[in-house]
Amino acid sequence: PLRADTTLNAESAKLVSLQLDALEQRRVLWQGQLFPGQPFEWEIADDTPRRHGQEAEAPPQSWQSSVRFSLPMLGAVQATVRLSGDHVRVDVRAADEHTASTLRAHGGLLADALGAAGTTLDALLVQHDG
């Protein structure tokens, strides 16, 4: 029979292993439900070039985050956000043309919000993925 502390130690070891793997791979992936019946997938990756040797200057932090979800009013949407220093690029694919058009029409609001936070929106690409 397993004791409670043995089970807890095995679960802790698994969690530590997952954390070490995330640090090594510089990537975290979460899959679950946004709310019941609505699958959601979110991945975050550190794309900062690794430094080699005694480089004089560190490259700017670079991150990529991708989400995939499907909502009743929007349909299937996939978005990738790339952040490098204080610059952002957003690529969106929407299964529904109306959703893509609406996102394009409100792109200025996103640029304004990012600008107010001190980040520049370099590009917003919204495509209908029909």
Side-chain angles (χ1 to χ4, degrees):
L2 287 176
R3 294 185 359 216
D5 60 341
T6 304
T7 303
L8 181 61
N9 287 337
E11 290 174 11
S12 296
K14 182 178 178 182
L15 181 61
V16 168
S17 177
L18 289 170
Q19 290 173 335
L20 290 172
D21 185 54
L23 286 172
E24 175 65 28
Q25 299 301 317
R26 302 181 338 161
R27 175 182 170 265
V28 175
L29 174 64
W30 182 84
Q31 295 175 324
Q33 292 197 13
L34 190 55
F35 49 87
Q38 299 300 310
F40 185 81
E41 185 177 307
W42 184 16
E43 178 180 0
I44 302 171
D46 180 355
D47 285 346
T48 306
R50 293 185 189 230
R51 291 178 64 175
H52 299 285
Q54 300 295 325
E55 294 177 9
E57 191 173 318
Q61 283 287 117
S62 181
W63 295 89
Q64 178 173 302
S65 181
S66 298
V67 294
R68 288 172 207 81
F69 55 88
S70 182
L71 297 174
M73 298 296 288
L74 293 178
V77 176
Q78 177 179 335
T80 300
V81 178
R82 291 176 182 85
L83 174 65
S84 182
D86 59 354
H87 293 267
V88 174
R89 176 185 171 93
V90 180
D91 295 301
V92 181
R93 292 187 173 273
D96 183 83
E97 177 59 42
H98 178 69
T99 298
S101 295
T102 301
L103 291 170
R104 277 187 216 103
H106 291 89
L109 295 172
L110 175 62
D112 292 345
L114 288 169
T119 301
T120 302
L121 179 62
D122 288 338
L124 171 63
L125 176 62
V126 180
Q127 297 178 348
H128 171 232
D129 197 21

